[in-house]
Amino acid sequence: MKFDMHQTSGPPPSAGGEGNFDVTPSVIGSVLSDVARQSETNETMARVLETAAANIASAAQAWPVAEQLSGLNTYVLQRSILLIEARVRNNITAVSDVVNILLSADHEMSDAARSSSAQAAQAAIMDDPLADPNAPTRAGPGLWIQ
C-alpha cells in the first residue's frame, strides 16, 4: 500500500526514500487547527494595525502624514495580510482535501481487499482437496492455465 493511514496519535508523518508516506490524520488535523488559530490571530493583528494607523494619523493632525499612513496601510500592509490569509486558507483547504482523498482511497482499497479475499476463500471451498495442485486449471472455454 502506498499510504499507511493511522487513526491514533504518534510520531510526526515522515517520508521514506522509497516514496512511502505515513499519513496520520490526527497529527495533520492538529497542525491545521494550529495554523487556523494563528491565521485568526493575524486577522486580529491586521485590525489592530489599521486602528493604530488611524490613531497616529489623527494624533499627527497633518494631512500629509494621514495620507502616507493611509496609503501604507491600504496598499502595503493590508494587501499583504489579505494575500497571506487567502493563501493560508487555500492551503488548509487543499491539505484537508488531500487527507480526505487518501482516507477515502484507503477505505476503498481495504474494502476491495476484503471482498477479493472473501471471494478467493469461497472459490477455494469449491476446489477438490484430492486434486493435483500442479494440474492445469480451466480458465474458460478451451483455455487452460498451467
Side-chain angles (χ1 to χ4, degrees), residues 87-99:
R87 287 182 176 141
V88 167
R89 281 191 299 276
N90 289 344
N91 288 334
I92 288 173
T93 300
V95 170
S96 297
D97 290 349
V98 167
V99 170

Side-chain angles (χ1 to χ4, degrees), residues 4-23:
D4 295 323
M5 303 298 183
H6 305 285
Q7 296 297 330
T8 59
S9 61
S14 61
E18 69 283 349
N20 292 326
F21 297 88
D22 292 327
V23 177

Side-chain angles (χ1 to χ4, degrees), residues 29 69 124 138:
L69 281 170
R138 190 171 185 88

